[in-house]
Amino acid sequence: MIPFLGLKQVNSVYREEMIAAATRVIDSGWYIQGEEVKEFERNFADYCGARHCIGVANGLDALILVFRAWKELGKLKDGDEIIVPANTYIASILAITENRLKPVLVEPDPLTFNICPDNIRSAITDKTKAILAVHLYGQLADMPAIMSIATDHNLLVLEDSAQAHGAEVEGKKAGNWGHASGFSFYPGKNLGALGDAGAVTTNDDELAITVRALANYGSHKKYENLYQGVNSRLDEMQAALLRVKLKYLNIEMQRRREIAIAYANGINNSAICLPIDVDLTVENLSHHVFHLFVVRTKNRLALQQHLLESGIQTVIHYPIPPHKQQAYRSLANLDLPITTDIHNEVLSLPISPVMSAEDVLMVIKCVNNFKC
């Protein structure tokens, strides 16, 4: 079986370094908000090119805390509209509604799956206060265009960078384009912890201070509380493990891009729509880190079953769009045909930095052998 993502195999490459890092934490006797977290925050901020990184408990909390901080700072208030792509994981929407803000769902670009700048412009009203730009599947949204729109309309921009660690455009990485960014280090991410973990990056000093306080019970100083905060802190063990893996992130990204190019050049099946053009090189794919390699087909379940019978595991990201979830039944009447089609047709092929060349060729062969 070719697994979709063999995390045991991925992490085994760094096993000895990770054991040493874990031992260092155990022996330190300090397990919350210590030197490991501080060092990871410095390293990840530098990696993204941002001034600040605040470690938090998970990626959803990262997004929630930024919106909450903007409310505390008087930049947002209950009922403000936040433009967000309809084609996204539900966490993007949850972060908005958790703060009693109103999500305004807009259709994506059908070629990139990411939020469409023209649709952002059409959705802006006098109640619009922010844009949540999701870098879906590892591909940066059109941030130059989005930031231009935000400047023209005085809007805040929050990047959902949960799937795009290291992706860049015009020499600027995810996490350094918007006014703030939320990252997830869920184990399956390109930079994954061995448990839940997340971070906020920003160049805004005031926002960084506020997010850090909110995530620590609303406290900027021990036993003094500025806000009614929460407990959302990156712990020392996960920070230590992430420090190890961050050193190798660029190497893993290159391998993912090599696999994506092999898929793009090797898959030749009229029933399959690829996410990128053929004849690409690693060098001109800086905007995409291929957290997922997502194809489209009208016969998704048949393709998935065909690949499973061939010993290839695939995953659907995502079978039900947020506006069709029971949790958001109030949005069920929205007319979002592009989003609906995407969620009905996408299938994620295996892509992992530890896939062998033989595995990649097997996936290509089996996809090409599929007959709808």
Side-chain angles (χ1 to χ4, degrees):
M1 172 68 71
I2 298 175
F4 176 73
L5 179 64
L7 284 178
K8 181 177 179 180
Q9 189 179 4
V10 169
N11 288 315
S12 68
V13 176
Y14 315 117
R15 187 174 188 274
E16 295 307 316
E17 284 189 72
M18 293 171 80
I19 289 173
T23 301
R24 188 172 65 240
V25 174
I26 294 168
D27 291 346
S28 74
W30 194 297
Y31 308 122
I32 297 290
Q33 292 189 313
E35 291 303 315
E36 297 292 343
V37 169
K38 291 176 184 176
E39 191 62 27
F40 174 73
E41 288 177 340
R42 283 192 289 265
N43 293 345
F44 194 66
D46 288 345
Y47 180 80
C48 295
R51 186 178 300 147
H52 302 283
C53 171
I54 304 96
V56 297
N58 55 69
L60 175 57
D61 280 5
L63 299 177
I64 289 174
L65 286 164
V66 172
F67 283 128
R68 171 73 187 282
W70 279 335
K71 291 183 73 176
E72 294 288 355
L73 293 170
K75 296 183 178 183
L76 294 175
K77 64 181 184 305
D78 286 4
D80 282 345
E81 293 180 353
I82 313 298
I83 294 176
V84 61
N87 179 47
T88 186
Y89 183 56
I90 197 170
S92 307
I93 316 298
L94 288 170
I96 297 170
T97 57
E98 178 67 17
N99 281 286
R100 297 186 297 279
L101 303 167
K102 182 180 178 181
V104 176
L105 278 62
V106 300
E107 291 273 56
D109 181 323
L111 297 179
T112 66
F113 303 143
N114 275 329
I115 193 167
C116 174
D118 288 340
N119 291 340
I120 292 174
R121 291 188 185 93
S122 299
I124 294 173
T125 72
D126 58 0
K127 294 182 179 179
T128 305
K129 299 301 178 185
I131 302 167
L132 179 52
V134 182
H135 307 315
L136 200 64
Y137 307 148
Q139 182 170 205
L140 263 179
D142 187 349
M143 292 309 297
I146 291 170
M147 295 309 298
S148 177
I149 294 169
T151 299
D152 290 345
H153 296 274
N154 194 29
L155 303 177
L156 296 165
V157 176
L158 173 57
E159 298 175 72
D160 183 341
S161 302
Q163 300 183 4
H165 319 70
E168 66 179 61
V169 65
E170 296 182 1
K172 188 182 291 188
K173 285 187 172 70
N176 195 29
W177 273 98
H179 300 100
S181 179
F183 285 89
S184 169
F185 306 121
Y186 179 79
K189 304 299 185 186
N190 288 18
L191 179 59
L194 269 64
D196 271 322
V200 171
T201 58
T202 183
N203 292 311
D204 184 329
D205 298 345
E206 188 178 32
L207 179 66
I209 291 170
T210 307
V211 168
R212 190 176 295 280
L214 284 168
N216 187 35
Y217 298 96
S219 175
H220 67 299
K221 183 178 180 181
K222 194 168 185 178
Y223 300 130
E224 294 183 18
N225 302 77
L226 290 171
Y227 313 106
Q228 297 176 24
V230 298
N231 177 13
S232 180
R233 302 177 298 203
L234 176 63
D235 71 67
E236 285 286 281
M237 186 66 75
Q238 298 303 341
L241 299 175
L242 286 167
R243 286 181 62 193
V244 172
K245 297 186 71 175
L246 179 59
K247 294 186 296 183
Y248 303 101
L249 179 57
N250 284 348
I251 296 172
E252 291 195 358
M253 283 193 314
Q254 178 164 330
R255 178 57 184 150
R256 285 176 177 273
R257 287 171 176 146
E258 289 170 352
I259 295 169
I261 291 167
Y263 281 164
N265 289 320
I267 294 174
N268 183 21
N269 187 324
S270 60
I272 308 296
C273 180
L274 297 171
I276 56 173
D277 296 328
V278 297
D279 298 325
L280 292 171
T281 64
V282 171
E283 289 73 20
N284 66 13
L285 270 180
S286 62
H287 65 287
H288 207 321
V289 294
F290 291 98
H291 170 59
L292 301 171
F293 190 94
V294 181
V295 300
R296 291 181 66 176
T297 177
K298 299 291 185 181
N299 303 283
R300 176 173 67 190
L301 294 182
L303 174 60
Q304 187 173 43
Q305 184 61 32
H306 165 75
L307 293 175
L308 183 62
E309 291 173 354
S310 302
I312 299 169
Q313 185 183 42
T314 59
V315 178
I316 298 171
H317 294 94
Y318 303 96
I320 305 173
H323 73 288
K324 293 299 183 182
Q325 297 283 358
Q326 180 67 16
Y328 288 109
R329 52 193 175 276
S330 62
L331 303 175
N333 291 328
L334 291 176
D335 184 24
L336 298 164
I338 296 174
T339 294
T340 299
D341 286 348
I342 288 173
H343 282 256
N344 286 336
E345 297 174 3
V346 292
L347 185 67
S348 299
L349 302 182
I351 186 164
S352 160
V354 295
M355 282 183 73
S356 68
E358 291 75 18
D359 287 343
V360 175
L361 290 174
M362 177 59 72
V363 173
I364 293 170
K365 177 182 177 181
C366 291
V367 172
N368 285 339
N369 287 341
F370 173 67
K371 294 182 173 52
C372 56

